[in-house]
């Protein structure tokens, strides 16, 4: 099991406040990867009207919520399961399948490895290569699959590299995985930030592959991490049955259930988010490409991975410089296969993005 250094998560504003003596209200978090538009206006305007819902239990089957997810994603109604954030569903899936040996892309989110270890499993990493701009080589990846593996975990788009596997490429991986009886878990936390028509989502593939489960949540795109609402899609009825057997009833509260139905239907907010992210991501990428002492990697999501090319400047130094200005980026030295020359930051409003660029410029990058 790889060792992960301590780090500041995007939600660790209280810890930052304590160490740097900066009020958390004065910190702009470029680390949390949350939609800069905040919560859906439709949700803000209407959720308070439903407050009386907390006086009753939610529908045990969450029928209305699952129908909303069905309309939003195109998934089959019977293939949808909901949970207390995607984190609960990751845990439930791994508890259900109990993989003995899993293969994960690296660098990536550490929670996958942690959950597998808690169930007594072993984790192997397939390292994404910097010389390939951290884009997966699907043919080589498929050649690494064998019958000793039980599970593949793919964050798509991947965090922190913001690279993605296309649906066509995912088919190749799923076909090879089926040959060896390998389950595939795809975390699509950041898929909704990708350009329309990019054909990255694996949800349509759940109708054809019973070894696939796709996970999503509302924390990032819908800027609602506090609601703790996630969902998964799989075409494997036995897996759904097993997860529902292990899952506690009513893990989603009444207001979160209603909120999901509202936000998934806010088309104006969804389109406005995608337009802002695409525009600012492209602008920042083009700008950083002109700088002498950084390398910025192509991104398809709402954050950018950047390598510092000056040997006398480290990711820790950049983090410290920025946080003292109330700008919190991610020091990526904590990710497997990355070192202290890598940072990551998400796309915010143009004004806040400009403030971050100015702070980075002060380091002569």
């Amino acid at each position: 099991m790889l060792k992960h250094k301590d780090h500041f998560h995007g939600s660790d504003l209280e810890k930052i406040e304590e160490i740097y003596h900066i009020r958390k209200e004065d910190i702009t978090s470029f680390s949390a990867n949350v939609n800069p538009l905040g919560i859906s206006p439709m949700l803000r305007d209407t959720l308070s009207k439903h407050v009386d819902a907390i006086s009753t239990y939610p529908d045990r089957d969450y029928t209305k919520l699952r129908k909303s997810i069905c309309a939003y994603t195109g998934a089959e109604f019977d293939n949808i399961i909901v949970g207390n954030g995607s984190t609960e569903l990751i845990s439930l899936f791994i508890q259900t399948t109990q993989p003995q040996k899993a293969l994960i892309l690296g660098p990536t989110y550490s929670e996958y490895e942690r959950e597998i270890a808690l169930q007594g499993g072993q984790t192997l990493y397939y390292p994404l290569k910097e010389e390939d701009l951290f884009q997966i080589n699907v043919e080589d990846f498929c050649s690494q699959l064998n019958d000793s593996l039980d599970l593949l975990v793919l964050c798509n788009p991947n965090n922190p590299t913001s690279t993605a596997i296309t649906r066509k490429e995912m088919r190749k991986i799923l076909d090879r995985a089926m040959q060896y009886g390998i389950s595939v878990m795809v975390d699509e936390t950041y898929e909704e930030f990708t350009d329309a028509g990019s054909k990255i989502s694996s949800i349509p593939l759940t109708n054809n592959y019973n070894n696939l489960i796709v996970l999503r949540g509302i924390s990032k795109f819908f800027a609602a991490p506090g609601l703790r609402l996630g969902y998964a899609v799989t075409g494997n009825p036995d897996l759904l049955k097993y997860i529902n057997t292990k899952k506690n009833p009513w893990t989603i509260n009444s207001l979160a259930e209603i909120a999901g139905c509202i936000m998934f239907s806010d088309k104006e907010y969804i389109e406005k988010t995608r337009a802002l992210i695409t525009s600012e991501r492209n602008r920042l990428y083009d700008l950083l490409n002109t700088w002498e002492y950084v390398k910025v990697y192509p991104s398809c999501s709402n954050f950018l991975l950047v390598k510092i090319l000056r040997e006398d400047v480290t990711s820790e130094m950049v983090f410290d410089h920025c946080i003292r200005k109330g700008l919190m980026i991610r020091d990526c030295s904590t990710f497997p296969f990355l070192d202290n020359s890598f940072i990551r930051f998400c796309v915010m409003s143009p004004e806040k993005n400009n403030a971050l660029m100015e702070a980075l410029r002060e380091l002569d990058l």
Side-chain angles (χ1 to χ4, degrees), residues 5 23-24 35 41 52 64 67 103-104 116 136 156 165 169 194 214 242 266 290-291 306 316 323 326 343 346:
K5 297 194 302 182
R23 293 193 321 148
K24 62 183 180 180
N35 187 338
D52 288 342
K64 188 175 180 181
K67 284 182 178 179
L103 182 62
I104 301 176
I116 291 164
I136 189 172
N156 195 41
I165 301 167
E169 292 171 328
T194 63
V214 181
Y242 293 146
D266 194 344
T290 67
W291 292 15
V306 174
E316 294 97 327
I323 196 61
I343 61 171
C346 66

Side-chain angles (χ1 to χ4, degrees), residues 310-322:
R310 279 184 54 180
E311 293 184 0
D312 60 334
V313 178
T314 66
S315 55
E316 294 97 327
M317 292 168 61
V318 176
F319 177 91
D320 186 76
H321 175 77
C322 290

Side-chain angles (χ1 to χ4, degrees), residues 221-241:
F221 188 83
F222 289 99
L227 278 176
R228 307 311 306 143
L229 171 59
Y231 57 97
V233 183
T234 180
N236 187 326
D238 291 333
L239 178 60
L240 285 167
K241 181 180 177 180

Side-chain angles (χ1 to χ4, degrees), residues 7-43:
H7 66 276
F8 291 114
H9 184 269
S11 63
D12 291 337
L13 296 183
E14 289 81 7
K15 193 184 296 184
I16 291 286
E17 189 175 47
E18 178 184 345
I19 294 172
Y20 285 93
H21 307 292
I22 303 171
R23 293 193 321 148
K24 62 183 180 180
E25 292 82 8
D26 296 331
I27 297 172
T28 299
S29 179
F30 286 85
S31 176
N33 297 341
V34 172
N35 187 338
L37 295 181
I39 65 172
S40 150
M42 188 183 294
L43 177 63

Side-chain angles (χ1 to χ4, degrees), residues 29 67 72 111 179 203 228 253 307 363:
S29 179
K67 284 182 178 179
Y72 176 62
E111 187 65 21
Q179 292 178 21
I203 286 178
R228 307 311 306 143
N253 67 64
K307 184 175 185 179
L363 292 168

Side-chain angles (χ1 to χ4, degrees), residues 86-95 97 99 102-105 109 111-113 115-116 150-156 165 170 173-174 177 182-188 202 211-216 232-233 239 243:
S86 59
T87 304
E88 183 198 24
L89 294 169
I90 290 171
S91 180
L92 284 168
F93 172 70
I94 291 173
Q95 287 176 34
T97 56
L103 182 62
I104 301 176
L105 294 183
Y109 181 49
E111 187 65 21
Y112 313 131
E113 181 184 348
E115 287 291 342
I116 291 164
D150 306 299
L151 174 66
L152 295 182
V153 180
L154 305 171
C155 184
N156 195 41
I165 301 167
M170 191 66 77
I173 294 171
L174 289 166
I182 303 170
S183 298
V184 181
M185 183 177 80
V186 179
D187 183 349
E188 289 192 350
S202 294
N211 62 332
L212 170 66
I213 185 168
V214 181
L215 300 159
R216 284 193 186 176
V233 183
L239 178 60
I243 291 177

Side-chain angles (χ1 to χ4, degrees), residues 41 45 83 86 123 195 211 239 296 310 335:
D45 294 342
S86 59
T123 297
D195 294 340
N211 62 332
L239 178 60
V296 57
R310 279 184 54 180
F335 283 96

